[in-house]
């Protein structure tokens, strides 16, 4: 266990203290830029698809990135454990930049989709390796603050990314959304590289082992299954065969990528991917339905409905900040966070009743954001804390895969229920509440007593 570096007053050093400043800024900058690109492209996609005459490939531009990231996450996790995190981070940044170039210069929609796939490879490699770098470069007591900063790095782009992307696409050229990110990614990566100087992060701590090719095969099958579920759910009755095929394929492939015992919520680490997948899947699926509900059931403008989601993003940032400052224990963050998500979505659903004031939607989304902001970084911290040396990459990859796949399934199923119930928003949102409640039930299986002195044992 790494010794905690402390300040003169006995508290953990700040993530922006001189010895960590370059590393922390580089880490957060990379996460922010990847988050901005992910948020911005959703805003610009209608313009892009129209200009490239590619509406028939609209959905594929999103699912290609997901499929690539699932595969790259598995590769990046093992690579980080065996060779250290810097190699996959370097490869991920180069691949991400190549994808940005390909998408930004694409003359056809087919090449644009290819660029999005390459971006997904880069993002998957980088994200899992960044988590391993945190485990290797920072003492455990600082992990909550680092992951709180990561959460903020996603929240800020979610608030301003769509507006910036819309302005660029309408006033200049959508291609600068991709090409402009490159200008900032490269110096951010160089700053991060400088921040690793003198730290023991160059080499891996795990021995090479067979089986990576097999895991990559299952990762590919999982990505295909997720895509089938996504497309099948969007095609109503005609998509049922695709939906069924995707579920069967996922049942076979996904358990091979998670940790042993994850699918039965075994105590400890195995529950991590399941808990995070349920919580983030509930949050994301609700965010898909809520703007539509507010617009078409209560007559809000697109901008007004977007403000409700912005309130949720602010809640996420607040929850992460509270957890990062040690104001909330682990069990409260996990179980309480899941319950807040469920309660918040339930409050927003009540807005379907005409006499209910619209302010309840803002209160509900604030609760949802606060809950996911508390829960999301806590899972990351505890997974690293519970991982043996040399297993951080593998375990973090399992959490990443679980989060991505469960989110796709949650969005697909909630959307299918919404459609099957004659566009009944309550039916789709009730499913997301159920996912969050299941997460609250499973939280105690993740946080449990461990050896004295560990972060999990002392903070829960």
């Amino acid at each position: 266990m790494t010794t905690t570096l402390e300040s003169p007053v006995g508290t953990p050093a700040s993530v922006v203290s001189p010895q960590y400043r370059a590393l922390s800024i580089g880490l957060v900058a990379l996460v922010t830029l990847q988050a901005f690109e992910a948020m911005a492209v959703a805003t610009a996609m209608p313009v892009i698809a129209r200009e490239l005459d590619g509406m028939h490939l609209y959905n594929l531009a999103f699912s290609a990135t997901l499929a690539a990231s699932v595969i790259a996450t598995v590769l990046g996790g093992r690579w980080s454990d065996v060779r250290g995190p810097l190699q996959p981070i370097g490869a991920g940044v180069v691949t991400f930049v190549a994808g940005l170039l390909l998408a930004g210069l694409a003359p056809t929609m087919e090449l644009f989709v290819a660029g999005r796939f390459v971006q997904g490879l880069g993002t998957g490699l980088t994200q899992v390796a960044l988590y391993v770098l945190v485990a290797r470069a920072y003492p455990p007591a600082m992990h909550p603050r680092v992951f709180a900063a990561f959460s903020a790095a996603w929240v800020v782009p979610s608030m301003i990314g769509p507006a910036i992307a819309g302005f660029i696409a309408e006033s200049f050229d959508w291609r600068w959304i991709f090409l402009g990110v490159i200008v900032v990614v490269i110096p951010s990566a160089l700053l991060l590289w400088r921040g690793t100087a003198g730290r023991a992060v160059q080499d891996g701590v795990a021995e090479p082992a067979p089986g990576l090719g097999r895991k990559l095969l299952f990762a590919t099958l999982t990505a295909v299954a997720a895509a089938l579920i996504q497309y099948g759910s969007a095609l109503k009755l005609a998509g049922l065969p695709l939906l069924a095929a995707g579920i069967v394929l996922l049942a076979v492939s996904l358990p091979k990528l998670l940790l042993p015992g994850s699918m039965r919520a075994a105590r400890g680490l195995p529950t991590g991917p399941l808990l995070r997948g349920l919580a983030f899947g509930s949050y994301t699926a609700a965010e898909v339905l809520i703007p539509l509900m507010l617009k078409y059931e209560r007559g809000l403008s697109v901008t007004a409905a977007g403000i409700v989601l912005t309130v949720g993003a602010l809640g996420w940032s607040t929850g992460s900040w509270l957890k990062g400052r040690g104001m909330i224990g682990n069990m409260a963050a996990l179980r309480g966070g899941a319950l807040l998500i469920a309660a918040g979505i339930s409050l927003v659903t009540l807005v379907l009743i005409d006499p209910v004031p619209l302010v309840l939607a803002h209160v509900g989304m604030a609760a949802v954001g606060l809950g996911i902001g508390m829960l999301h970084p806590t899972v990351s911290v505890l997974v690293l804390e519970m991982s043996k040396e040399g297993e951080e990459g593998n375990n973090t990859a399992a959490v990443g895969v679980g989060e991505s796949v469960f989110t796709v399934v949650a969005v697909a199923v909630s959307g299918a229920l919404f459609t099957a119930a004659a566009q009944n928003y309550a039916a789709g949102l009730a499913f997301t509440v159920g996912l969050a409640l299941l997460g609250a039930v499973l939280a105690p299986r993740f946080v449990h007593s461990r050896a004295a002195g560990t972060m999990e044992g002392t903070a829960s």
Side-chain angles (χ1 to χ4, degrees):
M1 186 76 62
T2 307
T3 302
T4 302
L5 180 62
E6 296 186 344
S7 67
V9 294
T11 58
S14 167
V15 295
V16 292
S17 57
Q19 62 267 48
Y20 292 107
R21 186 174 298 139
L23 177 61
S24 298
I25 294 174
L27 281 168
V28 173
L30 282 181
V31 175
T32 300
L33 290 168
Q34 291 183 342
F36 171 79
E37 188 277 333
M39 297 295 172
V41 72
T43 302
M45 269 307 299
V47 177
I48 296 169
R50 184 173 63 250
E51 182 173 319
L52 297 180
D53 193 24
M55 288 302 297
H56 61 294
L57 297 176
Y58 189 95
N59 288 336
L60 190 58
F62 293 98
S63 57
T65 306
L66 169 68
S69 66
V70 169
I71 298 167
T73 295
V74 173
L75 174 61
R78 187 59 186 162
W79 191 354
S80 297
D81 287 339
V82 175
R83 299 293 183 186
L86 295 187
Q87 286 188 19
I89 289 174
V93 169
V94 170
T95 305
F96 183 61
V97 168
L100 290 171
L101 278 171
L102 184 55
L105 300 175
T108 66
M109 191 65 175
E110 287 76 11
L111 284 176
F112 178 81
V113 170
R116 294 284 292 154
F117 182 85
V118 175
Q119 287 174 47
L121 291 176
T123 300
L125 282 173
T126 305
Q127 286 184 347
V128 67
L130 290 179
Y131 278 54
V132 177
L133 180 59
V134 171
R136 299 277 297 276
Y138 295 87
M142 293 180 66
H143 291 171
R145 296 189 180 187
V146 177
F147 286 118
F150 278 13
S151 291
W154 272 92
V155 170
V156 173
S158 73
M159 292 189 291
I160 66 173
I164 294 175
F167 175 75
I168 293 173
E170 293 175 358
S171 304
F172 299 97
D173 190 327
W174 63 263
R175 297 180 186 276
W176 284 109
I177 295 173
F178 300 92
L179 301 178
V181 171
I182 297 173
V183 178
V184 191
V185 164
I186 295 174
S188 299
L190 293 175
L191 185 62
L192 183 149
W193 193 274
R194 177 187 172 190
T196 61
R199 306 184 191 279
V201 297
Q202 303 288 340
D203 302 316
V205 293
E207 294 296 324
L212 178 58
R214 185 168 174 268
K215 290 193 75 171
L216 290 175
L217 173 61
F218 282 116
T220 303
L221 293 176
T222 297
V224 171
L228 288 174
I229 291 172
Q230 182 184 45
Y231 280 102
S233 66
L235 296 176
K236 301 181 181 180
L237 290 177
L240 286 179
L242 291 178
L243 185 62
I247 291 173
V248 171
L249 185 57
L250 193 64
V252 173
S253 60
L254 182 59
K256 306 296 184 181
L257 302 180
L258 303 183
L259 303 175
S262 285
M263 298 306 291
R264 55 183 175 84
R267 289 192 176 274
L269 264 174
T271 302
L274 187 59
L275 179 57
R276 197 120 114 220
L278 288 169
F280 194 72
S282 171
Y283 171 82
T284 305
E287 275 207 324
V288 171
L289 289 175
I290 286 171
L292 293 175
M293 181 189 79
L294 294 174
K295 176 175 174 58
Y296 293 109
E297 297 297 321
R298 294 301 301 265
L300 267 67
S301 66
V302 174
T303 300
I307 290 174
V308 175
L309 298 187
T310 299
V311 171
L314 291 172
W316 183 328
S317 183
T318 302
S320 298
W321 183 84
L322 292 172
K323 180 56 183 167
R325 291 299 181 272
M327 299 178 185
I328 304 171
N330 290 341
M331 181 59 75
L334 296 175
R335 173 173 271 181
L339 289 174
L340 277 172
I341 295 170
I345 296 173
S346 299
L347 287 176
V348 178
T349 305
L350 291 177
V351 177
L352 283 167
I353 304 171
D354 285 337
V356 173
L358 285 168
V359 69
L360 200 63
H362 296 82
V363 174
M365 278 309 299
V368 172
L370 186 65
I372 191 66
M374 291 160 49
L375 184 148
H376 196 273
T378 303
V379 174
S380 300
V381 170
L382 292 181
V383 165
L384 292 184
E385 178 66 17
M386 287 189 269
S387 297
K388 296 179 181 178
E389 190 176 62
E391 294 181 354
E392 296 96 340
N394 179 70
N395 295 340
T396 298
V399 172
V401 169
E403 179 179 295
S404 296
V405 174
F406 273 85
T407 297
V408 170
V409 173
V411 171
V413 174
S414 62
L417 290 171
F418 164 73
T419 302
Q423 296 191 341
N424 187 314
Y425 293 95
L429 291 173
F431 174 73
T432 69
V433 170
L435 292 179
L437 290 175
L438 180 57
V441 171
L442 295 179
R445 301 186 66 81
F446 183 47
V447 180
H448 60 287
S449 179
R450 287 188 66 214
T454 65
M455 183 182 296
E456 184 191 6
T458 58
S460 60

